[in-house]
Amino acid sequence: MKKLEQMYEGKAKKVFKTDDPKLYIVDYKDDATAFNGEKKGSIADKGVVNNIMSDIIFQMLETKGIPTHFVEKLSDRETLVKAVTILPLEVIIRNVAAGSFSKRYGVEEGKALARTVLEFSYKNDDLGDPLINDDHILALELATEEQLATVRKYAYQVNEELKPFFLERGLKLIDFKIEFGLYDGSVILADEISPDTCRLWDVNTNEKMDKDRFRRDLGNVEETYQNVLQRVKK
Ligand code: TMP
C-alpha cells in the first residue's frame, strides 16, 4: 500500500490517503507537545513506541470484541488503518485522581476514586479542548444519541480490558484518553493508545511511566517509553 497525499498533520501523527479510499496510513512522529502545544519538544523514537504499542493494544481489543481502525502494521512508524471520520470528542476515563481532575476538584494525585469517571472534552485546539457533557454534545450535534451511547459503552469496556492488561505488566492504569471515528456509519475505536494518551504508574514504586515525564520535566523520558513498550510486548 502506497502513501498518497497527506490528509492531515496533527501534533503527534500524520495521516495519508492511499489508493484505497477506505484506508489511510498513519505515520507517527517523535514530536511531543503539552498544554495545548505551549510546551514543545521531541522524544527520540516515541513514534516507534506509540505505533507498535497502539497496534498491539488495538489487536488485543479486537479479540475482546471492540472494533478498532487497525488493519495492518506497515513499518515501525506506520500503520494501515480504516479511513474513519473522527468524532470531535476526547473521551477520558479515570480510575485514580490525577492531572487536570486533581487540579480542578482539589484532590490529591493518587487518590482512588469511588467509581470510574468518564469525561468528554470537545476536540478543538482553538478552544483548548474544553470539558463538555452529554447535553452539550447533543446540542452541538457532535454525535447522535446512539453514537454517544456506543462511545460510552466501548470506553468503559476498553478500561475493563486495559486495566488487567497493564497490571499483568506491572503498570497501574490511572487514566487515559481515547478517540472514536465513524466507519461505514459505525462507531469504532481510532487514534492511539500509548504513553502519550495514558497515565501508567509502576505498580511497585508508583513511578510515572508516561508522558507526564515530559510534561513535568521528570527526566528519563525516552528510557521510560522504551520500558513501557518492552512490557507491552510481553
Ligand atoms: P488530564 O488529566 O490532563 O485531563 O489528562 C487525562 C488523560 O488524557 C491523561 O491520561 C493524558 C490524556 N491526554 C491526552 O491524551 N491528550 C491531551 O491533550 C490531554 C490534555 C490529556
Side-chain angles (χ1 to χ4, degrees):
M1 193 67 60
K2 237 185 37 216
K3 272 179 181 166
L4 299 181
E5 84 187 81
Q6 184 173 303
M7 272 274 304
Y8 169 83
E9 177 163 7
K11 293 193 281 263
K13 302 188 276 303
K14 295 176 182 175
V15 180
F16 295 86
K17 287 188 177 172
T18 68
D19 47 26
D20 183 340
K22 307 277 289 182
L23 296 172
Y24 291 155
I25 292 172
V26 182
D27 188 340
Y28 286 73
K29 307 189 284 186
D30 288 347
D31 299 355
T33 63
F35 317 116
N36 201 22
E38 256 174 62
K39 180 184 172 97
K40 284 192 180 69
S42 169
I43 302 172
D45 284 339
K46 171 170 85 76
V48 175
V49 171
N50 290 6
N51 181 46
I52 297 175
M53 176 164 164
S54 293
D55 285 357
I56 292 171
I57 291 178
F58 279 36
Q59 286 175 88
M60 182 276 291
L61 292 172
E62 287 276 355
T63 70
K64 308 289 184 182
I66 297 156
T68 80
H69 72 169
F70 176 80
V71 176
E72 190 190 350
K73 177 177 182 276
L74 296 178
S75 72
D76 274 356
R77 288 179 183 274
E78 296 163 310
T79 294
L80 188 66
V81 299
K82 292 176 182 157
V84 299
T85 305
I86 291 282
L87 293 172
L89 297 172
E90 302 208 337
V91 186
I92 295 152
I93 292 273
R94 300 184 187 272
N95 297 306
V96 174
S100 68
F101 182 95
S102 286
K103 212 169 185 178
R104 190 180 320 120
Y105 303 117
V107 221
E108 198 190 328
E109 281 207 318
K111 190 184 184 315
L113 299 172
R115 58 156 289 160
T116 306
V117 171
L118 186 156
E119 278 171 12
F120 291 112
S121 290
Y122 178 23
K123 193 175 151 66
N124 184 319
D125 282 340
D126 294 341
L127 301 176
D129 298 339
L131 205 59
I132 53 172
N133 67 21
D134 290 44
D135 282 0
H136 296 142
I137 291 169
L138 297 174
L140 295 171
E141 299 183 300
L142 304 181
T144 66
E145 222 158 316
E146 196 190 347
Q147 289 163 354
L148 190 53
T150 307
V151 163
R152 283 184 159 277
K153 182 186 76 175
Y154 287 157
Y156 284 114
Q157 277 177 6
V158 168
N159 188 41
E160 291 313 309
E161 299 301 342
L162 287 186
K163 276 189 295 181
F165 175 87
F166 283 123
L167 207 52
E168 283 164 19
R169 290 157 174 84
L171 295 167
K172 265 191 288 190
L173 180 60
I174 304 302
D175 57 34
F176 61 94
K177 184 270 298 179
I178 48 180
E179 296 181 22
F180 292 89
L182 296 178
Y183 184 76
D184 283 344
S186 296
V187 171
I188 68 174
L189 185 64
D191 194 50
E192 66 180 275
I193 295 182
S194 72
D196 274 16
T197 63
C198 299
R199 280 197 177 89
L200 300 164
W201 293 2
D202 183 274
V203 79
N204 296 311
T205 64
N206 274 338
E207 204 180 336
K208 292 178 173 44
M209 303 292 290
D210 56 61
K211 196 178 169 188
D212 273 347
R213 302 208 72 84
F214 168 80
R215 294 188 189 100
R216 302 178 189 191
D217 297 318
L218 300 177
N220 289 332
V221 184
E222 277 87 4
E223 295 84 346
T224 300
Y225 273 73
Q226 293 297 333
N227 180 308
V228 171
L229 178 61
Q230 290 318 312
R231 295 192 199 205
V232 166
K233 275 180 165 175
K234 270 198 210 142

